[in-house]
Every structure is written in structure tokens, then in C-alpha cells.
Amino acid sequence: MKALLLLLAQLCSASLVPEREKDPEYWRRQAQETLRNALRLQRLNQNVAKNLILFLGDGEMGAPTLGWGGQGCHELGALWFFHLPPLQTYNTNAQVPDSAGTATAYLCGVKANEGTLGVSAGVTRDRCNTTKGQEVTSILRWAKDAGKAVGIVTTTRVTHATPSAAYAHSANRDWYSDGEMPPDALEGGCRDIARQLVENIPDIEVIMGGGRKYMFPKNASDVEYPREEKHRGTRLDRRNLVQAWQEAKPPGKVAKYVWNRRELLALNLSRVDFLLGLFEPGDMVYELDRNNETDPSLSEMVAVAIRMLQKNPRGFFLLVEGGG
């Protein structure tokens, strides 16, 4: 029986992605049909939202998180999404999805293969040469094109699967810096996720979370943990991407980088146009273990982000992830 189950698992994992699911238009047509059906409903709400905040409890969607969503734990059935039809949360090549493929689905509207982000199902994990021409656009880019301010707040690395699907296109979710990429991917011209954060959409107003070490040259000491080797910079290209992020801003705009809670809360946000906060070398510390002197809480980061973004009269889009 064990051998049979193993064989079935191998067959499922090796199954081919249907050709139609490799085409982003396949997913967009379904979305358009859903919208058309919604428009046929009576008593249609004609109001247009000015701001959008997407909260994601990645890895933490248990009773406490759902209860925090505005309902008592004994009233969880009242949450609106419990009344939706069953959702098909699969990757195109896997029944149990991962955060990269699902982030691509809800941020870009296109299902993708397991372990890939910001690309269609035409991209095979780890194969850099399948990426070109398969990039898909996210709601963060759409909001920017509509004149809105945009922001990303996470308790994971800002280059982790969920936030990076908003701005990056990668055949592997783990290519945080060029130090994590194989030689063939570098030779093939693929860019690491941290570099894409700086280069793809340079006018993201707010970026906060962890992930300092992917922004600095290999073996550069971390500002908070200077003696710990595991927290040192990882970049093989020797670039300082924090500096590159600041230099990419238009003349006259103020771009502030902070690495601890004290600096963050001391900012005069009326005089800041762009904010980058990287509070840990990797993922941020769990709330129960958080250092109140150095690491802001998720709620503090969100409060700062909203104050920054609401300065735009056209509104904003904000992605907030409580990562697990």
C-alpha cells in the first residue's frame, strides 16, 4: 500500500500542466466573466473604492487571526468569505499550493506553477530561460498606473513569496539575492528578487518588513548583529541596494531608510515621500519574542504606512502580510 501511495504521489506531481492554463488570458477571461455576472445583479453598488488594503494571514489563518478580523471566535461563521463557493487554491502543477503561486493568483489574477512568482504557468521552476515573455502584472502596478500610492508591509522578508509577487518575476521564490541563485540563472540574465524590488517599480512609497541581508554585499556586517555571521550580507555583485533604492528617486523627493522602531516612529512623515524599513536581516521576529526597542509591531508598521499613503488624494493600495 505504501508503494502504491508513493507511486500515485509521483504521478500527480509529474502531471503536465494543461496548455490552456499556461496562458494568462485563460485566467483573465474567467475573471472578466465573473465581473460580468456581478454587473448583472440587481441593486448594484455603484460606489468606487478610493483605498484598498489587502490583509493576508499567511500561515496564521487560525481562529485567533479570524477572530481578530472583527468577529468573536464563537461567531466565525459570520465572516463573509465563509459564505463564498468553495475556492480552488491549487497551483497549476500541484494540488497543495505554496505562497508564491497563490500570491501570483491573488495579486496578478493568474495561476502559476509551484515555487514561481509573478509569471504564468509557462515558467518552470528553476529554469531561468523560461521566464522571458511570461511576466504578469500585479494589482500594485495597476494601482500605480491609476495614480494611487502603494505600499507593502510584512512580518516576513520583503523579498519573501507573498510580497515579491507584487513587484517581481522569478522562476524560483528562493532567489532572494544573487547569492542564492545558481550560476546558470545568473548567466541567463535573470535578476534576483531584491534587485527587482529596487528596479521594477522604483516608486513604491512604502516598503516595510525584514530582509536586510539581501540588500548588502556578501559578508558585510549587519547593523544590529555585527558579530553574527549568519546575518551578514549575501550579495555577490557587491551592491548596496538600499543606496541604489535612494538614488533611484526623483530629484527633490525625500527617501528615508530606517532599520529600527525608534527611527521609524521618530519620522516626520509629512516630509517623507518614500519609506524603506528593514527591521531584521531575515524574517521579523514573532510578536511574542519581539524586541520592543528595535522591532516595530505589525500594527505600528501598518499605522505608519497608512499615514504615508493617505497623502495621495487619489487613494492607495496597501498589501499587509502577517507571515508565519
Side-chain angles (χ1 to χ4, degrees), residues 7 11 16 60 90 114 151 162 211 218 233 247 259 284 297 313 317:
L7 176 61
L11 289 173
L16 296 176
E60 300 178 349
Y90 60 88
E114 180 269 337
T162 295
K218 187 173 179 61
E247 293 175 348
W259 66 268
M284 293 186 68
S297 66
F317 167 76

Side-chain angles (χ1 to χ4, degrees), residues 60-73 76:
E60 300 178 349
M61 285 298 285
T65 299
L66 297 176
W68 179 83
Q71 310 290 330
C73 287
L76 292 181

Side-chain angles (χ1 to χ4, degrees), residues 232-271:
R232 292 177 181 174
T234 66
R235 301 202 61 79
L236 300 177
D237 60 11
R238 310 300 299 172
R239 293 182 67 189
N240 180 331
L241 289 187
V242 170
Q243 181 179 344
W245 172 82
Q246 291 175 315
E247 293 175 348
K249 301 300 174 284
K253 296 294 183 179
V254 178
K256 288 289 187 179
Y257 165 66
V258 295
W259 66 268
N260 61 56
R261 179 177 182 267
R262 177 180 52 80
E263 290 181 345
L264 176 68
L265 300 183
L267 287 173
N268 181 348
L269 299 180
S270 65
R271 298 182 180 179

Side-chain angles (χ1 to χ4, degrees), residues 67-319:
W68 179 83
Q71 310 290 330
C73 287
H74 62 288
E75 297 175 333
L76 292 181
L79 288 172
W80 66 272
F81 56 79
F82 280 97
H83 302 291
L84 291 174
L87 301 178
Q88 297 177 322
T89 56
Y90 60 88
N91 291 146
T92 45
N93 66 339
Q95 288 296 319
V96 180
D98 82 311
S99 295
T102 49
T104 302
Y106 56 72
L107 291 175
C108 307
V110 174
K111 281 191 179 291
N113 288 329
E114 180 269 337
T116 66
L117 54 88
V119 292
S120 76
V123 173
T124 303
R125 185 169 188 172
D126 292 323
R127 290 181 58 184
C128 168
N129 62 357
T130 63
T131 306
K132 188 174 181 179
Q134 301 297 327
E135 300 90 347
V136 293
T137 309
S138 79
I139 187 174
L140 188 142
R141 179 72 269 173
W142 301 333
K144 260 296 167 188
D145 291 344
K148 295 182 181 294
V150 297
I152 295 171
V153 173
T154 179
T155 57
T156 66
R157 286 154 278 188
V158 295
T159 51
H160 211 251
T162 295
S164 59
Y167 59 81
H169 315 285
S170 180
N172 191 314
R173 58 176 287 177
D174 297 327
W175 291 350
Y176 302 122
S177 78
D178 58 349
E180 285 75 39
M181 296 178 67
D184 65 300
L186 293 172
E187 293 167 2
C190 283
R191 295 175 298 152
D192 62 88
I193 296 170
R195 181 180 167 188
Q196 292 189 58
L197 173 62
V198 173
E199 296 179 352
N200 285 6
I201 310 181
D203 52 350
I204 299 175
E205 281 83 0
V206 177
I207 305 166
M208 284 191 281
R212 274 196 306 263
K213 65 182 180 180
Y214 307 111
M215 310 293 281
F216 293 100
K218 187 173 179 61
N219 292 326
S221 296
D222 182 73
V223 64
E224 187 175 0
Y225 311 101
R227 298 182 180 180
E228 296 192 31
E229 185 174 348
K230 66 180 180 179
H231 294 319
R232 292 177 181 174
T234 66
R235 301 202 61 79
L236 300 177
D237 60 11
R238 310 300 299 172
R239 293 182 67 189
N240 180 331
L241 289 187
V242 170
Q243 181 179 344
W245 172 82
Q246 291 175 315
E247 293 175 348
K249 301 300 174 284
K253 296 294 183 179
V254 178
K256 288 289 187 179
Y257 165 66
V258 295
W259 66 268
N260 61 56
R261 179 177 182 267
R262 177 180 52 80
E263 290 181 345
L264 176 68
L265 300 183
L267 287 173
N268 181 348
L269 299 180
S270 65
R271 298 182 180 179
V272 178
D273 300 297
F274 299 94
L275 171 61
L276 173 62
L278 300 175
F279 304 106
E280 286 291 333
D283 294 332
M284 293 186 68
V285 180
Y286 287 119
E287 178 64 24
L288 288 176
D289 303 317
R290 179 171 62 88
N291 183 327
N292 292 332
E293 297 296 322
T294 57
D295 290 2
S297 66
L298 178 59
S299 59
E300 287 173 332
M301 290 192 292
V302 171
V304 170
I306 292 175
R307 287 167 58 197
M308 278 281 296
L309 299 176
Q310 67 184 4
K311 293 187 290 185
N312 188 321
R314 295 188 178 183
F316 62 83
F317 167 76
L318 174 61
L319 171 64

